[in-house]
Coordinates of all heavy atoms in Angstrom, one line a residue:
C1 N 68.3 84.0 83.6 CA 68.9 85.3 83.8 C 70.2 85.3 84.5 O 71.2 85.4 83.9 CB 67.9 86.3 84.4 SG 67.7 87.8 83.6
G2 N 70.1 85.2 85.9 CA 71.4 85.3 86.7 C 72.0 83.9 86.7 O 71.3 82.9 86.8
G3 N 73.2 83.8 86.7 CA 74.0 82.5 86.8 C 75.3 82.9 87.5 O 75.7 84.1 87.8
R4 N 76.0 81.9 87.9 CA 77.3 82.0 88.5 C 78.4 81.3 87.8 O 78.2 80.3 87.2 CB 77.2 81.4 90.0 CG 76.4 82.2 90.9 CD 76.6 82.0 92.3 NE 75.8 83.0 93.1 CZ 75.6 82.8 94.3 NH1 76.0 81.7 95.0 NH2 74.7 83.6 95.0
L5 N 79.5 82.1 87.8 CA 80.8 81.6 87.2 C 81.7 81.1 88.3 O 82.1 82.0 89.2 CB 81.4 82.6 86.3 CG 82.8 82.4 85.8 CD1 82.7 81.2 84.7 CD2 83.3 83.5 85.1
V6 N 82.0 79.9 88.4 CA 83.0 79.4 89.5 C 84.2 78.8 88.8 O 84.1 77.9 88.0 CB 82.3 78.3 90.3 CG1 83.1 77.9 91.4 CG2 81.0 78.9 90.9
V7 N 85.4 79.2 89.1 CA 86.6 78.9 88.4 C 87.7 78.4 89.5 O 87.8 79.2 90.5 CB 87.2 80.0 87.6 CG1 88.5 79.5 86.9 CG2 86.2 80.5 86.6
I8 N 88.2 77.3 89.4 CA 89.3 76.8 90.1 C 90.6 76.8 89.4 O 90.6 76.2 88.3 CB 89.1 75.4 90.7 CG1 87.8 75.3 91.6 CG2 90.3 74.9 91.6 CD1 87.5 73.9 92.1
S9 N 91.5 77.6 89.8 CA 92.8 77.7 89.1 C 93.9 77.0 89.9 O 93.8 77.2 91.2 CB 93.1 79.2 88.8 OG 93.2 80.0 89.9
F10 N 94.9 76.4 89.3 CA 95.9 75.8 90.0 C 97.3 76.4 89.8 O 98.2 76.0 90.6 CB 96.0 74.3 89.6 CG 94.7 73.5 90.0 CD1 93.7 73.3 89.1 CD2 94.7 73.0 91.3 CE1 92.6 72.7 89.5 CE2 93.5 72.3 91.6 CZ 92.5 72.1 90.7
H11 N 97.5 77.4 89.0 CA 98.7 78.1 88.8 C 98.5 79.6 88.8 O 97.4 80.0 88.5 CB 99.3 77.7 87.3 CG 99.5 76.2 87.2 ND1 100.6 75.5 87.8 CD2 98.8 75.3 86.5 CE1 100.5 74.3 87.4 NE2 99.5 74.1 86.7
S12 N 99.5 80.3 89.2 CA 99.4 81.7 89.3 C 99.1 82.4 88.0 O 98.3 83.4 88.0 CB 100.6 82.3 90.0 OG 101.7 82.1 89.1
L13 N 99.6 81.9 86.9 CA 99.3 82.6 85.6 C 97.7 82.4 85.3 O 97.1 83.2 84.7 CB 100.1 82.0 84.6 CG 101.6 82.3 84.6 CD1 102.4 81.6 83.6 CD2 101.8 83.8 84.6
E14 N 97.3 81.1 85.5 CA 95.8 80.9 85.4 C 95.0 81.8 86.2 O 94.0 82.4 85.9 CB 95.5 79.5 85.7 CG 96.0 78.4 84.7 CD 95.7 77.0 85.3 OE1 95.3 76.8 86.4 OE2 95.9 76.1 84.5
D15 N 95.4 82.0 87.5 CA 94.6 82.8 88.5 C 94.7 84.2 88.0 O 93.7 85.0 88.1 CB 95.2 82.6 89.8 CG 94.4 83.3 90.9 OD1 93.1 83.1 90.9 OD2 94.9 84.1 91.7
R16 N 95.8 84.7 87.4 CA 95.9 86.1 87.0 C 94.8 86.3 85.9 O 94.2 87.3 85.7 CB 97.3 86.4 86.5 CG 97.4 87.8 86.0 CD 98.8 88.1 85.6 NE 99.7 88.0 86.7 CZ 101.0 87.9 86.6 NH1 101.6 88.1 85.4 NH2 101.7 87.8 87.6
I17 N 94.8 85.3 84.9 CA 93.9 85.4 83.8 C 92.4 85.5 84.3 O 91.6 86.4 83.8 CB 94.0 84.3 82.8 CG1 95.3 84.4 82.1 CG2 92.9 84.3 81.8 CD1 95.8 83.1 81.4
V18 N 92.1 84.6 85.2 CA 90.7 84.6 85.8 C 90.4 86.0 86.5 O 89.3 86.5 86.4 CB 90.6 83.4 86.7 CG1 89.2 83.5 87.5 CG2 90.6 82.1 85.9
K19 N 91.4 86.4 87.4 CA 91.2 87.6 88.1 C 90.9 88.9 87.2 O 90.0 89.6 87.4 CB 92.4 87.8 89.0 CG 92.3 89.0 90.0 CD 93.4 89.1 91.0 CE 94.8 89.0 90.4 NZ 95.8 89.2 91.4
R20 N 91.7 89.0 86.1 CA 91.6 90.0 85.2 C 90.3 90.0 84.5 O 89.7 91.0 84.2 CB 92.8 90.1 84.3 CG 94.0 90.5 84.9 CD 95.2 90.7 83.9 NE 96.4 91.1 84.6 CZ 97.5 91.2 83.9 NH1 97.7 90.8 82.6 NH2 98.5 91.7 84.6
F21 N 89.9 88.8 84.0 CA 88.7 88.6 83.3 C 87.4 89.1 84.2 O 86.7 89.9 83.8 CB 88.4 87.1 83.0 CG 87.1 86.9 82.3 CD1 86.9 87.1 80.9 CD2 86.0 86.4 83.0 CE1 85.7 86.9 80.3 CE2 84.9 86.2 82.4 CZ 84.6 86.5 81.1
M22 N 87.4 88.7 85.4 CA 86.3 89.0 86.4 C 86.4 90.5 86.7 O 85.3 91.1 86.8 CB 86.5 88.2 87.7 CG 86.0 86.8 87.4 SD 86.0 85.9 89.0 CE 85.5 84.3 88.6
R23 N 87.6 91.1 86.9 CA 87.7 92.4 87.1 C 87.2 93.2 85.9 O 86.4 94.3 86.1 CB 89.1 92.9 87.4 CG 89.3 94.3 87.8 CD 90.8 94.8 87.7 NE 91.3 94.5 86.4 CZ 92.6 94.4 86.1 NH1 93.4 94.3 87.0 NH2 92.9 94.3 84.8
D24 N 87.6 92.9 84.7 CA 87.3 93.7 83.5 C 85.7 93.7 83.3 O 85.2 94.6 82.8 CB 88.0 93.2 82.3 CG 89.5 93.5 82.3 OD1 89.9 94.4 83.2 OD2 90.3 92.9 81.6
H25 N 85.2 92.5 83.5 CA 83.7 92.4 83.3 C 82.8 92.8 84.5 O 81.6 92.8 84.2 CB 83.4 91.0 82.9 CG 83.8 90.6 81.5 ND1 85.1 90.2 81.2 CD2 83.2 90.6 80.3 CE1 85.2 90.0 79.9 NE2 84.1 90.2 79.4
S26 N 83.4 93.2 85.5 CA 82.7 93.7 86.7 C 82.6 95.2 86.8 O 82.1 95.7 87.7 CB 83.1 93.1 88.0 OG 84.4 93.5 88.3
Q27 N 83.4 95.8 85.9 CA 83.4 97.3 85.9 C 82.8 97.9 84.6 O 82.8 97.2 83.6 CB 84.8 97.8 85.9 CG 85.6 97.4 87.2 CD 87.1 97.7 87.2 OE1 87.6 98.2 86.1 NE2 87.8 97.6 88.2
P28 N 82.2 99.0 84.7 CA 81.6 99.6 83.5 C 82.6 99.8 82.4 O 83.8 100.1 82.8 CB 81.0 100.9 84.0 CG 81.2 101.1 85.4 CD 82.0 99.9 85.9
K29 N 82.2 99.8 81.2 CA 83.2 100.1 80.2 C 83.7 101.6 80.2 O 82.9 102.4 80.5 CB 82.5 99.8 78.8 CG 82.1 98.4 78.6 CD 81.7 98.1 77.3 CE 81.1 96.8 77.0 NZ 81.6 95.7 77.2
P30 N 84.9 101.8 79.9 CA 85.4 103.1 80.0 C 84.9 104.1 79.0 O 84.7 103.7 77.8 CB 86.9 103.0 79.9 CG 87.1 101.7 79.2 CD 86.0 100.8 79.6
L31 N 84.6 105.4 79.3 CA 84.2 106.3 78.4 C 85.4 107.3 78.1 O 86.3 107.4 78.9 CB 83.0 107.1 79.0 CG 81.7 106.3 79.2 CD1 80.7 107.2 80.0 CD2 81.1 105.9 77.9
P32 N 85.2 108.0 76.9 CA 86.3 109.0 76.7 C 86.5 110.0 77.9 O 85.4 110.3 78.6 CB 85.8 109.7 75.5 CG 84.9 108.8 74.8 CD 84.3 108.0 76.0
R33 N 87.6 110.4 78.2 CA 88.0 111.2 79.3 C 87.2 112.5 79.4 O 86.7 112.9 80.4 CB 89.4 111.6 79.3 CG 90.3 110.4 79.7 CD 91.7 110.9 79.7 NE 92.4 110.3 80.9 CZ 93.6 110.6 81.2 NH1 94.3 111.3 80.4 NH2 94.1 110.1 82.2
R34 N 87.1 113.3 78.3 CA 86.5 114.6 78.4 C 85.0 114.6 78.1 O 84.4 115.7 77.9 CB 87.2 115.5 77.3 CG 88.7 115.6 77.7 CD 89.4 116.4 76.7 NE 90.8 116.4 77.0 CZ 91.6 117.5 77.0 NH1 91.0 118.7 76.7 NH2 92.8 117.4 77.3
L35 N 84.4 113.4 78.0 CA 82.9 113.4 77.7 C 82.2 113.6 79.1 O 82.4 112.7 79.9 CB 82.6 112.1 77.1 CG 81.2 111.9 76.5 CD1 80.9 112.9 75.4 CD2 81.0 110.5 76.1
P36 N 81.3 114.5 79.2 CA 80.7 114.7 80.5 C 79.4 113.9 80.7 O 78.3 114.3 80.8 CB 80.3 116.2 80.4 CG 80.0 116.5 79.0 CD 81.0 115.6 78.3
V37 N 79.7 112.5 80.8 CA 78.6 111.6 80.9 C 78.8 110.7 82.1 O 79.9 110.2 82.3 CB 78.4 110.8 79.7 CG1 77.3 109.8 79.9 CG2 78.1 111.6 78.4
V38 N 77.8 110.4 82.9 CA 78.1 109.6 84.1 C 77.8 108.2 83.6 O 76.9 107.8 82.9 CB 77.1 110.0 85.2 CG1 77.2 109.1 86.4 CG2 77.2 111.5 85.6
T39 N 78.7 107.3 84.1 CA 78.5 105.8 83.7 C 77.3 105.3 84.4 O 77.1 105.7 85.6 CB 79.8 105.0 84.0 OG1 80.0 105.2 85.4 CG2 80.9 105.5 83.2
R40 N 76.7 104.3 83.9 CA 75.6 103.6 84.5 C 76.0 102.3 85.1 O 76.9 101.7 84.6 CB 74.4 103.4 83.5 CG 73.9 104.7 82.9 CD 72.7 104.5 82.1 NE 72.7 103.2 81.4 CZ 71.8 102.9 80.5 NH1 70.9 103.8 80.2 NH2 71.8 101.7 79.8
H41 N 75.3 101.9 86.1 CA 75.6 100.6 86.8 C 75.2 99.4 86.0 O 75.7 98.3 86.1 CB 74.9 100.6 88.1 CG 75.7 100.4 89.3 ND1 77.1 100.8 89.4 CD2 75.6 99.7 90.5 CE1 77.6 100.4 90.5 NE2 76.7 99.7 91.2
E42 N 74.3 99.6 85.0 CA 73.7 98.4 84.3 C 74.7 97.9 83.3 O 74.5 96.8 82.8 CB 72.4 98.9 83.5 CG 71.4 99.4 84.5 CD 70.3 100.1 83.8 OE1 70.1 99.9 82.7 OE2 69.6 101.0 84.4
E43 N 75.8 98.6 83.0 CA 76.8 98.1 82.0 C 77.6 97.0 82.5 O 78.3 96.4 81.8 CB 77.6 99.3 81.5 CG 76.8 100.3 80.7 CD 77.6 101.5 80.3 OE1 78.9 101.4 80.4 OE2 77.1 102.5 79.9
Q44 N 77.5 96.7 83.8 CA 78.4 95.6 84.3 C 77.8 94.3 83.9 O 76.6 94.1 83.9 CB 78.4 95.7 85.9 CG 79.1 96.9 86.3 CD 78.9 97.0 87.9 OE1 78.2 96.3 88.5 NE2 79.8 97.8 88.5
Q45 N 78.6 93.3 83.6 CA 78.2 92.0 83.3 C 78.3 91.0 84.5 O 77.5 90.1 84.6 CB 79.0 91.5 82.1 CG 78.8 92.2 80.8 CD 79.6 91.8 79.7 OE1 80.5 90.9 79.9 NE2 79.5 92.3 78.6
L46 N 79.3 91.2 85.2 CA 79.5 90.3 86.5 C 79.7 91.1 87.7 O 80.0 92.3 87.7 CB 80.8 89.5 86.1 CG 80.9 88.6 85.1 CD1 82.3 88.0 85.0 CD2 79.9 87.4 85.2
R47 N 79.4 90.4 88.8 CA 79.6 90.9 90.1 C 80.5 89.9 90.9 O 80.1 88.8 91.1 CB 78.3 91.2 90.9 CG 78.5 91.8 92.3 CD 77.2 92.0 93.0 NE 76.4 90.9 92.9 CZ 75.0 91.0 92.9 NH1 74.4 92.1 93.1 NH2 74.3 89.8 92.9
V48 N 81.6 90.3 91.3 CA 82.6 89.4 92.0 C 82.0 89.1 93.4 O 81.5 90.0 94.2 CB 84.0 90.0 92.2 CG1 84.9 89.0 92.9 CG2 84.5 90.3 90.8
M49 N 81.8 87.8 93.7 CA 81.3 87.3 95.0 C 82.4 87.0 96.0 O 82.9 85.9 95.9 CB 80.4 86.1 94.7 CG 79.3 86.3 93.7 SD 78.0 87.4 94.2 CE 77.3 86.5 95.4
G50 N 82.7 87.9 96.9 CA 83.5 87.6 98.0 C 85.0 87.5 97.5 O 85.4 87.9 96.5
K51 N 85.8 87.1 98.5 CA 87.3 86.9 98.2 C 87.6 85.5 97.7 O 86.8 84.6 97.8 CB 88.0 87.2 99.5 CG 87.8 88.6 100.0 CD 88.7 88.8 101.3 CE 88.6 90.2 101.8 NZ 89.5 90.5 102.9
P52 N 88.8 85.4 97.2 CA 89.1 84.0 96.7 C 89.3 83.1 97.8 O 89.7 83.4 98.9 CB 90.5 84.2 96.0 CG 90.9 85.7 96.1 CD 89.8 86.4 96.8
V53 N 88.9 81.8 97.5 CA 88.9 80.8 98.6 C 90.1 80.0 98.3 O 90.3 79.4 97.2 CB 87.6 79.9 98.5 CG1 87.6 78.9 99.5 CG2 86.4 80.9 98.8
R54 N 90.9 79.6 99.4 CA 92.0 78.7 99.3 C 91.8 77.5 100.2 O 91.0 77.6 101.1 CB 93.3 79.5 99.6 CG 93.6 80.6 98.7 CD 94.9 81.2 99.1 NE 95.1 82.5 98.3 CZ 95.7 82.4 97.2 NH1 96.3 81.3 96.7 NH2 95.9 83.5 96.4
A55 N 92.5 76.4 99.9 CA 92.4 75.3 100.8 C 93.0 75.5 102.2 O 93.9 76.2 102.4 CB 93.2 74.1 100.1
S56 N 92.3 74.9 103.1 CA 92.7 75.0 104.5 C 94.0 74.2 104.8 O 94.4 73.3 104.0 CB 91.6 74.5 105.4 OG 91.4 73.2 105.2
K57 N 94.6 74.5 105.9 CA 95.8 73.7 106.2 C 95.6 72.2 106.4 O 96.4 71.4 105.9 CB 96.4 74.2 107.6 CG 97.0 75.6 107.4 CD 97.7 76.0 108.7 CE 98.3 77.4 108.6 NZ 99.0 77.8 109.8
Q58 N 94.4 71.9 107.0 CA 94.1 70.5 107.1 C 93.9 69.8 105.7 O 94.4 68.7 105.5 CB 92.7 70.4 107.9 CG 92.3 68.9 108.2 CD 91.0 68.9 108.9 OE1 90.4 69.9 109.2 NE2 90.7 67.7 109.4
E59 N 93.2 70.5 104.8 CA 93.1 69.8 103.5 C 94.3 69.7 102.8 O 94.6 68.7 102.1 CB 92.0 70.8 102.7 CG 91.7 70.2 101.3 CD 90.6 70.9 100.6 OE1 90.1 71.9 101.1 OE2 90.4 70.6 99.5
C60 N 95.2 70.6 102.9 CA 96.5 70.6 102.3 C 97.4 69.4 102.9 O 98.2 68.9 102.1 CB 97.3 71.9 102.4 SG 96.6 73.3 101.5
M61 N 97.2 69.2 104.2 CA 97.9 68.0 104.7 C 97.5 66.8 104.1 O 98.2 65.7 103.8 CB 97.8 68.0 106.2 CG 98.6 69.1 106.9 SD 98.4 69.1 108.6 CE 99.4 67.7 109.0
I62 N 96.1 66.6 103.9 CA 95.5 65.4 103.3 C 95.8 65.3 101.8 O 96.1 64.3 101.3 CB 93.9 65.4 103.6 CG1 93.6 65.4 105.0 CG2 93.2 64.4 102.8 CD1 92.2 65.7 105.4
N63 N 95.7 66.5 101.2 CA 95.9 66.6 99.7 C 96.8 67.6 99.3 O 96.5 68.8 99.2 CB 94.5 66.8 99.0 CG 94.6 66.8 97.5 OD1 95.7 66.5 96.9 ND2 93.6 67.3 96.8
P64 N 98.1 67.3 99.2 CA 99.2 68.4 99.0 C 99.0 69.1 97.7 O 99.4 70.3 97.6 CB 100.5 67.6 99.0 CG 100.1 66.3 99.6 CD 98.7 66.0 99.4
R65 N 98.3 68.6 96.7 CA 98.1 69.2 95.5 C 97.1 70.4 95.6 O 97.0 71.3 94.8 CB 97.5 68.2 94.4 CG 98.5 67.2 94.0 CD 97.9 66.3 93.0 NE 98.8 65.3 92.6 CZ 98.6 64.3 91.8 NH1 97.4 64.2 91.3 NH2 99.5 63.4 91.5
A66 N 96.3 70.4 96.8 CA 95.3 71.5 96.9 C 95.9 72.8 97.3 O 95.3 73.9 97.4 CB 94.3 71.1 97.9
R67 N 97.2 72.8 97.7 CA 97.8 74.0 98.3 C 97.9 75.2 97.3 O 97.8 76.4 97.7 CB 99.2 73.7 98.7 CG 100.3 73.5 97.7 CD 101.6 73.2 98.3 NE 102.6 72.9 97.3 CZ 102.9 71.8 96.8 NH1 102.2 70.7 97.3 NH2 103.7 71.6 95.8
S68 N 97.9 75.0 96.0 CA 97.9 76.0 95.0 C 96.6 76.3 94.5 O 96.5 77.3 93.6 CB 98.9 75.7 93.9 OG 98.5 74.5 93.2
A69 N 95.6 75.7 94.8 CA 94.2 75.9 94.2 C 93.6 77.2 94.8 O 93.6 77.5 95.9 CB 93.4 74.6 94.5
V70 N 93.0 77.9 93.9 CA 92.2 79.2 94.2 C 90.9 79.1 93.6 O 90.7 78.9 92.3 CB 93.0 80.4 93.7 CG1 92.2 81.6 94.2 CG2 94.4 80.5 94.3
L71 N 89.8 79.3 94.4 CA 88.5 79.3 93.8 C 87.9 80.7 93.8 O 88.1 81.5 94.8 CB 87.5 78.5 94.8 CG 86.1 78.5 94.4 CD1 85.8 77.4 93.5 CD2 85.3 78.3 95.7
R72 N 87.5 81.1 92.6 CA 86.9 82.5 92.5 C 85.5 82.4 92.0 O 85.2 81.5 91.1 CB 87.7 83.3 91.5 CG 89.1 83.7 92.1 CD 89.9 84.6 91.2 NE 91.2 84.8 91.6 CZ 91.5 85.8 92.5 NH1 90.6 86.7 92.9 NH2 92.7 85.9 92.9
I73 N 84.6 83.2 92.4 CA 83.2 83.2 92.1 C 82.7 84.6 91.6 O 83.0 85.6 92.3 CB 82.3 82.7 93.3 CG1 82.8 81.4 93.9 CG2 80.8 82.6 92.9 CD1 82.2 81.0 95.2
A74 N 81.9 84.6 90.6 CA 81.4 85.8 90.1 C 79.9 85.4 89.7 O 79.6 84.4 89.3 CB 82.1 86.3 88.8
E75 N 79.0 86.5 89.8 CA 77.6 86.3 89.5 C 77.2 87.2 88.3 O 77.6 88.3 88.3 CB 76.7 86.6 90.7 CG 75.3 86.3 90.6 CD 74.6 86.5 91.9 OE1 74.8 87.6 92.5 OE2 73.8 85.6 92.3
R76 N 76.4 86.6 87.5 CA 76.0 87.5 86.3 C 74.9 88.5 86.8 O 74.0 88.2 87.6 CB 75.3 86.5 85.3 CG 75.0 87.2 84.0 CD 74.5 86.2 83.0 NE 74.0 86.9 81.8 CZ 73.5 86.2 80.8 NH1 73.3 85.0 80.9 NH2 73.1 86.9 79.8
V77 N 75.1 89.8 86.4 CA 74.2 90.8 86.9 C 72.9 90.9 86.1 O 71.9 91.0 86.7 CB 74.9 92.2 86.8 CG1 74.1 93.3 87.1 CG2 76.2 92.2 87.6
Q78 N 72.9 90.8 84.8 CA 71.7 90.9 84.0 C 70.8 89.7 84.2 O 70.1 89.2 84.0 CB 72.0 91.3 82.6 CG 72.8 92.5 82.5 CD 73.2 92.7 81.0 OE1 73.0 91.8 80.1 NE2 73.9 93.9 80.8

């Protein structure tokens, strides 16, 4: 049932795609504006887990390529 999606992106464009995907799938689907219906929480597919993780200064000194890496985590709701 529940699983985790873990993505490491190395470029800002990749990170933008991942961020938008997680945001879009962690919010309920939009309903028509004038429809008097309350959205349900169950329609979410993902729950974003915490903030993005970046490499520490010490790790960047050891591995300079790690400076642009961003780790994002999401958990499946259903």
Side-chain angles (χ1 to χ4, degrees):
C1 228
R4 289 201 176 164
L5 171 68
V6 180
V7 180
I8 299 175
S9 58
F10 292 95
H11 300 286
S12 60
L13 294 176
E14 291 174 350
D15 189 48
R16 181 181 297 171
I17 293 168
V18 172
K19 183 170 52 172
R20 286 182 179 174
F21 177 84
M22 288 184 178
R23 181 195 64 204
D24 292 345
H25 287 82
S26 67
Q27 296 175 352
K29 299 196 189 293
L31 294 172
R33 287 180 134 183
R34 297 177 187 228
L35 190 64
V37 176
V38 179
T39 60
R40 297 186 329 186
H41 235 30
E42 300 169 25
E43 295 178 9
Q44 297 175 344
Q45 295 176 354
L46 295 175
R47 179 178 51 203
V48 177
M49 304 291 294
K51 295 184 177 185
V53 178
R54 297 182 184 271
S56 65
K57 288 183 181 180
Q58 181 182 9
E59 186 174 353
C60 288
M61 290 180 72
I62 296 169
N63 180 12
R65 293 179 182 179
R67 71 180 179 268
S68 63
V70 179
L71 175 88
R72 293 184 183 271
I73 305 169
E75 187 175 50
R76 189 173 173 187
V77 175
Q78 300 174 356

